[in-house]
Amino acid sequence: MDYSDLPQGVSLLEHTGDIGIEVRAESPESLFVQAAKAMFYIMLETDHPQIKKRKRISVTGEDREQLLVNWLSELNFLAETEGFRPVDYFVSELTDTAITCRVAAGRLNADLYKTQIKAVTFHKLTIRQKDDHWYARVIFDI
């Protein structure tokens, strides 16, 4: 698979049988958005779908790490079940245990799948702040 033009602040991690990302962002909100963009980048060939709908997505978790897994898992579920292809993200609330985001989306073109993500895992999952940046590592089961 070609992953040569990753979104800014994202790098891929080699992992046996899986694929991972490391994300660098300037805020926790940007971290969650960049992780979502990176997941869809891994899943799909680059496309520019026309916005067809907007959806308010609210997800909770016991802590920030579980919240990130639940957030990405919900987006993956919506892609699989509704053909939901996020284009723009507008985070209205983010705490350590909840995120609310309005997502503008197009229709997912199944012909553009390059990698199917079976699950977002907790394996080697980290979220941390260092200096003025936020960092996350996520491994996807493919």
Side-chain angles (χ1 to χ4, degrees):
M1 297 291 149
D2 179 25
Y3 301 111
S4 59
D5 59 336
L6 284 165
Q8 183 178 359
V10 176
S11 58
L12 287 181
L13 300 172
E14 295 287 330
H15 196 276
T16 307
D18 296 326
I19 192 166
I21 56 171
E22 283 188 338
V23 181
R24 176 180 177 234
E26 294 183 6
S27 69
E29 294 83 1
S30 295
L31 188 73
F32 275 67
V33 169
Q34 286 299 93
K37 288 179 178 180
M39 181 179 73
F40 278 92
Y41 175 83
I42 290 167
M43 290 169 54
L44 303 170
E45 296 291 338
T46 303
D47 67 336
H48 303 283
Q50 187 176 32
I51 294 174
K52 298 285 186 185
K53 62 180 166 179
R54 298 182 195 296
K55 187 175 194 99
R56 182 177 176 265
I57 299 173
S58 294
V59 179
T60 61
E62 291 184 17
D63 55 26
R64 190 173 274 149
E65 288 78 9
Q66 185 182 44
L67 182 62
L68 181 60
V69 169
N70 292 352
W71 160 248
L72 296 173
S73 296
E74 178 68 10
L75 292 172
N76 189 34
F77 174 78
L78 291 171
E80 291 289 324
T81 61
E82 297 180 14
F84 190 77
R85 170 63 169 103
V87 176
D88 286 315
Y89 303 81
F90 308 95
V91 177
S92 58
E93 176 188 7
L94 179 62
T95 68
D96 286 347
T97 59
I99 184 171
T100 300
C101 186
R102 288 204 45 84
V103 180
R107 186 87 184 127
L108 187 140
N109 180 345
D111 294 338
L112 295 178
Y113 265 102
K114 61 183 174 184
T115 304
Q116 184 171 10
I117 292 177
K118 296 178 197 170
V120 182
T121 74
F122 286 94
H123 181 67
K124 295 188 177 185
L125 176 68
T126 60
I127 298 178
R128 63 185 171 86
Q129 182 181 16
K130 183 178 178 188
D131 301 323
D132 293 337
H133 289 91
W134 287 83
Y135 299 86
R137 177 186 303 130
V138 181
I139 305 292
F140 302 104
D141 179 16
I142 58 173

